């Protein structure tokens, strides 16, 4: 039996966690069961997100690989992982919870869950439909909560509006341009791209400051500047356009998926001097891989509502219980506004539809299982990037579970071709910068307002960037203290 | 006399001969094994055997595509620099391990290089291996002195030009050995030159040191970089002229497919009476050109040069392309060249 306690920092100090008190009843319950303890893993996290997808105790089957030369067969359970959220262990009788889970999991429908999907890759789970819904109908969500999304960010503002950071970036770019101009190698058009422009506050700050610094510099680069604002949400893009109206002649806007910027911006290949990205990567689809006893697994998931929650929600909105999943499907495909037209009997107005959305989101949980990989080269991290890129991380760090940050990787590798040989990608986000963090912390997923948040796998981005000819560096966000935000910078190497 | 030898158009008797620039597709598994070598997971002996097998496959791919003049795919070389620099006596490699094979070594020259008459790089062995695998004509390429110098920390020479000249002498000794071993087509690659257009005169002077008294069909390849499948610089080939007219080479191998064919006008403006290795395949894109597109690109060049002045090749090495894409591109290139050859023979 293997026991892993990840939040080791919580075990010391004035408010030290009483680990023995947490684990003892669990171990008692396990020894009472007939489970083969030699095939059991017990992993303990501290899930810091108050809103998350986990129960205080989760049970995760670890499947065995199918035979190499036989017909495809349904993989069978080989081992079992029990995952504990230590933050909540005082709130429950863990022995009872574990006993109950182990007994129910072998019974048909014993876990009393209403599933929203079959087992799936985490990147294609319905949870990302919820995430997408949030950004598409941000206005509806903000109206329902009475709070603008930027107020939901830590500190109540985006790090992107920091003047000192903007000045530093612009001044460095002006120096590069001067150097190229001196060699008669500066292009006529000077492109800057912002992915995830949000409400345009960063774009406005950047452009306003650029005008000032350019005037001081005396080179009139502003006349040649094109600022491309990109966002997934039409709602925030419209706000952003209003915000930068003073610079309209120098700004274009694109509604695009951050994971595929080249689809809209391919004409700028090798032409962009700055790609600026803030708080986007942590919100893109990802799945986890885990190295367990030297084998590599992918964590598949299945979204569900606890039955009691499902019954409560159905009753609150007058929905027949068997119709609940269908109503959620309609919400995700149509959005809250059209849901009023489609299911007016349950949702007389958009506010009611939004309330249903929020209640469902709040109750949403994830079941997990580990599915063995048959070869890293056959695993697609993102288009054009296969799992071999994970090998150094997996080989160097033993048994470890980590986010692959598939969406962030897709965005990153599809953005790099845009960069001019002297261009730079700068990204502010929550990055894991040392693989050891995966051994000591819980790094997502969490629920952040109506969206999903995961820490981004920085070492993997760094490795992939390097294989594509870029130096990728990380530094703590320099212009605000007490933040988890890290600045990633990617520039052509050699 | 030297120039006359170097500029000889022999033995290119076939109209619109097809060739490669040098490097060939490096499979992902080979990259992994090369890196494993630096991590001490496989021995030099095993890596040598792996390279032998990979080179045989690369030659076979080129032959099956119908390429007239083949190469070893430069598959023994980690990149365009290290294989040569690490073998030149007097060049110190400060850290001889890498976490990724394709990275450059940090190289340093602390004392002036000895510019003896004997070769030291061991390229003859590589040539003879390739020669033993194919009956096709072979092009053997190596990076030129100017580009090699750009990856050296120089604390030995007050004037960097002298370092470049010394490197050129080392390469000249190697070239003489290669020709003595039977090599007939040699190519100097200068992938860094486009980044230092003001130094083209010095680069050409060094190239002429490399080719001096070497009876081979010499080519000079200048591109805008292919490091990690990205251009390192942007610009136009006008910086090469008129200095390149003094280069003792028979073929100038240039990149066009990615950048467009506007720079062909340089061959109208300047009296280039030798061959042009016309880049007709974009090696930075996995989109496979059609034979028709290749043919149209060749026809553009025929507007400014005569058919016997053209050699048909990709823009640069194929190392970053997946093998199936490289094969498809070479086949399209061969078919495109054949179509134009057919047109010329029937006109």
């Amino acid at each position: 039996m293997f026991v892993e306690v990840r939040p080791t920092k919580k075990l010391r100090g004035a408010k030290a966690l009483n680990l023995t008190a947490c684990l003892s009843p669990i171990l008692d319950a396990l020894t009472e069961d007939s489970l083969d303890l030699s095939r059991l893993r017990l992993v303990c996290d501290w899930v810091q997100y108050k809103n998350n997808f986990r129960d205080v105790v989760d049970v995760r089957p670890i499947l065995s690989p199918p035979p190499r030369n036989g017909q495809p067969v349904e993989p069978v359970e080989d081992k079992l992982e029990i995952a504990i959220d230590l933050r909540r262990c005082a709130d429950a009788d863990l022995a009872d919870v574990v006993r109950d889970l182990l007994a129910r999991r072998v019974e048909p429908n014993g876990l009393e869950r209403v599933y929203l999907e079959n087992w799936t890759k985490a990147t294609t789970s319905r949870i990302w439909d919820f995430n997408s819904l949030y950004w598409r109908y941000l206005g509806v969500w903000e109206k329902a909560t009475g709070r603008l999304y930027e107020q939901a960010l830590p500190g109540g503002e985006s790090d992107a509006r920091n003047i000192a950071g903007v000045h530093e970036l612009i001044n460095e770019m002006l120096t590069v341009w001067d150097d190229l101009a001196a060699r008669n190698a500066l292009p006529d058009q000077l492109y800057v791209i912002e992915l995830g422009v949000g409400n345009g506050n960063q774009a406005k700050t950047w452009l306003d400051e650029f005008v000032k610094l350019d005037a001081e510099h005396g080179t009139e680069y502003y006349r040649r500047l094109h600022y491309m604002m990109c966002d997934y949400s039409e709602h925030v893009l419209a706000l952003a356009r209003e915000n930068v109206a003073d610079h309209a002649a120098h700004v274009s806007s694109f509604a695009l998926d951050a994971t595929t910027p080249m689809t809209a911006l391919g004409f700028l290949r090798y032409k962009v001097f700055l790609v600026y990205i803030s708080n986007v990567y942590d919100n893109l689809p990802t799945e986890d891989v885990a190295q367990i006893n030297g084998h590599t697994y992918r964590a598949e998931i299945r979204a569900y509502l606890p039955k009691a929650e499902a019954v409560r929600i159905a009753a609150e909105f007058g929905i027949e219980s068997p119709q609940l999943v269908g109503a959620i499907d309609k919400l995700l495909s149509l959005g809250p506004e059209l849901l009023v037209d489609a299911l007016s009997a349950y949702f007389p107005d958009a506010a009611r539809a939004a309330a249903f959305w929020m209640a469902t989101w709040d109750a949403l949980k994830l079941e997990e299982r580990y599915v063995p990989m048959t070869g890293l080269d056959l695993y697609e991290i993102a288009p054009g990037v296969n799992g071999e890129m994970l090998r150094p991380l997996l080989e160097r760090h033993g048994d470890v579970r980590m986010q692959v940050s598939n969406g962030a990787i897709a965005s990153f590798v599809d953005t790099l071709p845009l960069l001019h040989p002297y261009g730079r990608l700068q990204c502010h986000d929550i990055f894991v910068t040392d693989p050891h963090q995966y051994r000591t912390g819980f790094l997502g997923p969490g629920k952040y307002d109506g969206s999903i948040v995961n820490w981004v796998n920085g070492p993997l981005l760094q490795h992939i960037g390097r294989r594509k000819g870029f130096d990728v560096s990380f530094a703590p966000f320099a212009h605000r203290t007490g933040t988890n935000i890290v600045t990633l910078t990617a520039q052509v190497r050699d | 006399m030297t120039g006359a030898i170097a500029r000889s158009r022999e033995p290119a008797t076939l109209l619109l001969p097809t060739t490669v620039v040098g490097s060939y597709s490096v499979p992902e598994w080979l990259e992994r094994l090369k890196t494993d070598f630096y991590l001490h997971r496989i021995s030099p002996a095993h890596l040598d055997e792996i390279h032998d097998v990979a080179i045989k496959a690369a030659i076979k791919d080129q032959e099956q595509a119908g390429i007239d003049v083949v190469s070893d795919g430069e598959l023994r070389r980690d990149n365009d620099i290290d294989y040569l620099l690490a073998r030149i006596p007097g060049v110190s490699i400060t850290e001889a391990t890498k976490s990724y094979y394709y990275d450059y070594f940090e190289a340093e020259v602390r004392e002036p290089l000895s510019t003896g008459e004997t070769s030291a790089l061991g390229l003859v062995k590589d040539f003879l291996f390739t020669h033993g695998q194919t009956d096709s004509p072979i092009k053997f390429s190596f990076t030129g002195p100017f580009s090699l110098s750009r990856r050296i920390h120089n604390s030995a020479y007050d004037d960097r030009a002298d370092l470049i000249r010394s490197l050129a002498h080392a390469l000249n000794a190697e070239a003489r050995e290669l020709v003595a071993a039977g090599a007939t087509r040699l190519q100097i690659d200068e992938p860094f030159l486009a980044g230092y257009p003001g130094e083209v005169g010095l680069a050409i002077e060094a190239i002429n040191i490399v080719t001096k008294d070497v009876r081979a069909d010499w080519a000079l390849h200048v591109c805008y970089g292919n490091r990690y499948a990205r251009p390192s610089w942007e610009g136009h080939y006008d910086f090469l002229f008129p200095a390149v007219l003094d280069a003792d080479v028979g073929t100038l191998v240039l990149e066009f497919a990615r950048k467009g064919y506007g720079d062909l006008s340089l061959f109208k403006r300047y009296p280039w009476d030798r061959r042009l290795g016309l880049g007709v395949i974009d090696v930075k894109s996995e989109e496979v050109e059609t034979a028709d597109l290749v043919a149209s690109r060749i026809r553009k060049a025929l507007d400014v040069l005569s058919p016997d002045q053209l050699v048909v090749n990709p823009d640069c090495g194929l190392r970053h392309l997946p093998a199936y894409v490289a094969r498809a591109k070479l086949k399209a290139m061969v078919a495109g060249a054949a179509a134009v050859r057919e047109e010329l023979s029937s006109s």
Side-chain angles (χ1 to χ4, degrees):
Chain A
M1 181 171 164
F2 171 88
V3 180
E4 179 174 6
V5 179
R6 290 171 182 149
T8 48
K9 281 187 182 170
K10 299 280 182 192
L11 304 182
R12 292 196 177 115
K15 293 181 180 174
L17 175 75
N18 186 343
L19 185 64
T20 310
C22 286
L23 292 188
S24 184
I26 296 170
L27 294 170
D28 286 346
L30 289 172
T31 52
E32 292 165 14
D33 197 273
S34 59
L35 202 65
D36 180 352
L37 295 178
S38 71
R39 292 174 175 273
L40 183 71
R41 290 165 50 85
L42 184 62
V43 296
C44 304
D45 288 305
W46 180 278
V47 180
Q48 71 271 28
Y49 298 99
K50 284 186 180 169
N51 296 319
N52 62 67
F53 298 96
R54 282 177 60 165
D55 265 334
V56 62
V57 179
D58 282 326
V59 176
R60 301 164 179 166
I62 302 170
L63 305 183
S64 62
R68 275 182 178 274
N69 50 4
Q71 293 294 315
V73 292
E74 187 64 25
V76 296
E77 185 176 306
D78 181 41
K79 303 183 186 72
L80 198 66
E81 179 174 281
I82 294 180
I84 311 291
D85 177 8
L86 293 175
R87 188 173 65 86
R88 287 181 281 175
C89 71
D91 303 339
D93 182 339
L94 292 183
D96 268 0
V97 173
V98 170
R99 271 189 215 106
D100 191 50
L101 264 177
L102 293 178
R104 286 173 178 270
R105 65 182 289 273
V106 294
E107 301 291 330
N109 303 316
L111 292 174
E112 296 194 324
R113 292 171 175 178
V114 175
Y115 293 106
L116 303 190
E117 61 192 349
N118 290 321
W119 287 112
T120 179
K121 291 194 296 183
T123 49
T124 53
S125 166
R126 299 236 79 175
I127 62 168
W128 296 106
D129 294 334
F130 276 96
N131 190 64
S132 171
L133 195 70
Y134 174 75
W135 292 110
R136 279 189 290 136
Y137 296 96
L138 185 59
V140 176
W141 183 279
E142 287 177 337
K143 192 174 175 186
T145 59
R147 193 171 63 158
L148 298 177
Y149 91 98
E150 200 173 49
Q151 292 173 302
L153 295 170
E157 65 167 330
S158 164
D159 287 311
R161 282 199 288 175
N162 189 288
I163 300 281
V166 169
H167 277 204
E168 186 177 295
L169 198 54
I170 291 172
N171 282 325
E172 286 173 6
M173 202 162 66
L174 293 176
T175 302
V176 168
W177 288 354
D178 286 348
D179 184 46
L180 288 172
R183 290 193 277 146
N184 200 27
L186 187 66
D188 291 339
Q189 311 294 324
L190 305 171
Y191 293 102
V192 170
I193 290 176
E194 184 180 356
L195 290 181
V197 75
N199 54 20
N201 284 339
Q202 142 71 17
K204 177 172 169 48
T205 304
W206 201 94
L207 285 161
D208 286 349
E209 296 308 308
F210 186 91
V211 169
K212 286 182 203 162
L213 294 177
D214 185 42
E216 289 169 16
H217 202 63
T219 37
E220 296 193 35
Y221 289 135
Y222 181 67
R223 286 196 306 112
R224 301 156 74 175
L225 183 75
H226 290 267
Y227 196 100
M228 325 292 268
M229 300 193 305
C230 308
D231 204 283
Y232 182 72
S233 168
E234 285 281 9
H235 171 72
V236 291
L237 212 47
L239 292 174
R241 278 194 293 269
E242 285 178 28
N243 221 340
V244 297
D246 291 347
H247 303 279
H250 297 269
V251 176
S252 305
S253 60
F254 296 84
L256 57 75
D257 181 340
T259 61
T260 56
M262 287 292 280
T263 54
L265 303 171
F267 65 101
L268 294 177
R269 182 183 285 265
Y270 307 138
K271 290 188 168 74
V272 180
F273 281 95
L274 173 66
V275 177
Y276 186 88
I277 309 167
S278 183
N279 296 311
V280 172
Y281 285 176
D282 62 353
N283 186 239
L284 296 175
T286 180
E287 63 182 333
D288 284 14
V289 294
Q291 193 85 342
I292 299 172
N293 293 343
H295 298 288
T296 311
Y297 297 82
R298 196 170 70 206
E300 283 191 348
I301 63 175
R302 185 158 61 159
Y304 71 92
L305 302 176
K307 192 170 180 182
E309 289 291 297
V311 168
R312 182 186 60 75
I313 293 168
E316 183 181 341
F317 292 90
I319 303 170
E320 297 291 325
S321 283
Q323 312 304 321
L324 180 64
V325 173
I328 295 169
D329 285 344
K330 278 202 164 53
L331 166 70
L332 295 176
S333 59
L334 300 176
E337 289 161 338
L338 288 177
L339 190 66
V340 175
D341 297 333
L343 297 174
S344 56
Y346 307 141
F347 310 111
D349 53 40
R352 197 70 179 143
F356 175 65
W357 172 13
M358 294 165 79
T360 308
W361 173 246
D362 193 47
L364 196 65
K365 300 284 181 196
L366 291 176
E367 214 170 85
E368 290 188 3
R369 67 176 186 177
Y370 292 107
V371 178
M373 287 187 180
T374 51
L376 284 176
D377 59 313
L378 300 178
Y379 170 58
E380 185 182 71
I381 293 176
V385 184
N386 75 39
E388 280 294 331
M389 291 291 175
L390 284 163
R391 186 177 293 280
L393 284 176
L394 295 174
E395 286 187 346
R396 237 176 265 156
H397 300 285
D399 279 10
V400 66
R401 173 174 165 153
M402 65 177 71
Q403 276 96 351
V404 181
S405 303
N406 309 69
I409 301 289
S411 179
F412 183 66
V413 299
D414 206 45
T415 303
L416 294 180
L418 293 168
L419 290 176
H420 184 276
Y422 288 84
R424 169 192 299 199
L425 181 152
Q426 189 177 83
C427 175
H428 300 306
D429 219 316
I430 45 173
F431 287 102
V432 170
T433 55
D434 179 349
H436 188 64
Q437 290 171 260
Y438 288 114
R439 294 194 174 287
T440 56
F442 178 79
L443 301 158
K447 295 178 186 174
Y448 214 90
D449 222 13
S451 67
I452 301 168
V453 63
N454 278 281
W455 287 56
V456 183
N457 191 329
L460 182 59
L461 273 173
Q462 195 168 39
H463 179 66
I464 291 171
R466 186 173 179 176
R467 293 292 175 95
K468 294 190 171 293
F470 287 81
D471 275 326
V472 178
S473 59
F474 297 99
F477 184 67
H479 307 287
R480 184 152 70 90
T481 55
T483 175
N484 285 323
I485 296 294
V486 166
T487 300
L488 173 153
T489 304
Q491 285 178 292
V492 173
R493 66 201 308 251
D494 300 330
Chain B
M1 182 60 193
T2 306
I5 294 167
R7 295 177 186 193
S8 164
R9 293 184 186 177
E10 295 299 324
T13 52
L14 176 68
L15 208 57
L16 304 179
T18 57
T19 186
V20 290
V21 169
S23 71
Y24 192 66
S25 171
V26 182
E28 191 173 1
W29 53 262
L30 181 55
E31 295 192 311
R32 188 174 147 203
L33 290 168
K34 282 171 173 279
T35 301
D36 278 351
F37 165 73
Y38 285 104
L39 299 175
H40 305 292
R41 288 174 173 159
I42 62 171
S43 70
H46 274 181
L47 187 63
D48 282 346
E49 288 183 21
I50 290 162
H51 283 152
D52 288 352
V53 172
I55 288 167
K56 288 178 186 177
I59 293 169
K60 191 75 176 171
D61 272 6
Q62 293 170 67
E63 289 177 340
Q64 287 187 335
I67 297 296
D68 299 312
V69 179
V70 302
S71 80
D72 69 354
E74 299 178 9
L75 289 167
R76 293 183 204 280
R77 306 180 192 180
D78 289 352
N79 51 52
D80 48 0
I81 299 291
D82 291 356
Y83 193 75
L84 302 170
L85 275 194
R87 290 158 178 245
I88 295 175
V91 176
S92 304
I93 303 298
T94 49
E95 181 69 57
T97 60
K98 307 180 190 182
S99 58
Y100 181 46
Y101 87 100
Y102 190 57
D103 292 345
Y104 284 137
F105 283 138
E106 292 301 317
E108 187 176 4
V109 171
R110 301 188 192 102
E111 300 289 338
L113 303 176
S114 63
T115 53
E117 293 296 303
T118 55
S119 67
L121 280 66
L123 299 183
V124 169
K125 186 180 167 201
D126 296 351
F127 168 75
L128 290 175
F129 177 82
T130 307
H131 190 55
Q133 307 305 320
T134 180
D135 294 327
S136 299
I138 297 164
K139 176 200 272 190
F140 195 89
S141 57
F142 48 82
T143 304
F146 183 84
S147 295
L148 290 178
S149 78
R150 298 308 316 181
R151 289 295 312 171
I152 293 175
H153 301 285
N154 165 39
S155 55
Y157 296 88
D158 292 335
D159 183 352
R160 189 174 190 85
D162 289 333
L163 168 64
I164 296 170
R165 293 182 188 108
S166 294
L167 291 166
H169 283 292
L171 293 173
N172 173 257
E174 200 67 24
R176 276 184 272 144
E177 291 288 322
L178 281 164
V179 169
T184 56
R185 293 169 177 81
L186 296 177
Q187 178 176 291
I188 300 167
D189 299 332
E190 288 290 10
F192 284 60
L193 183 53
Y196 306 89
E199 299 185 50
V200 65
L202 173 62
I204 298 297
E205 178 197 336
I207 284 160
N208 288 343
I209 294 172
V210 179
T211 60
K212 185 175 168 60
D213 295 333
V214 180
R215 299 177 65 87
D217 185 12
W218 279 100
L220 168 63
H221 171 56
V222 180
C223 64
Y224 282 84
N226 192 25
R227 189 87 175 133
Y228 299 99
R230 290 176 55 88
S232 301
W233 298 282
E234 292 292 353
H236 295 282
Y237 280 126
D238 45 7
F239 78 92
L240 277 177
F241 292 85
V244 77
L245 299 176
D246 293 330
D248 288 335
V249 297
T251 308
L252 188 56
V253 181
L254 301 181
E255 169 183 355
F256 287 100
R258 182 185 68 86
K259 291 166 49 59
Y261 289 80
D263 283 347
L264 280 172
S265 63
L266 290 164
F267 295 89
K268 279 185 177 171
R269 283 163 51 196
Y270 295 96
W272 182 258
D273 60 354
R274 289 164 269 168
R275 287 185 301 273
L276 169 66
L278 180 74
V280 295
I281 296 293
D282 182 355
V283 300
K284 295 178 180 67
S285 164
E286 292 190 16
E287 188 178 339
V288 177
E289 290 83 352
T290 63
D292 285 347
L293 180 59
V294 169
S296 72
R297 289 171 172 174
I298 296 171
R299 288 186 203 107
K300 282 194 179 85
L302 287 172
D303 289 342
V304 294
L305 293 166
S306 64
D308 65 344
Q309 283 184 282
L310 286 184
V311 177
V312 179
N313 45 250
D315 273 356
C316 195
L318 301 166
R319 68 172 307 131
H320 297 296
L321 291 172
Y324 73 93
V325 174
R327 285 192 287 267
K329 283 185 175 249
L330 290 184
K331 282 181 182 168
M333 185 177 84
V334 168
V340 180
R341 206 179 290 134
E342 177 70 24
E343 290 167 13
L344 291 169
S345 64
S346 60
S347 63

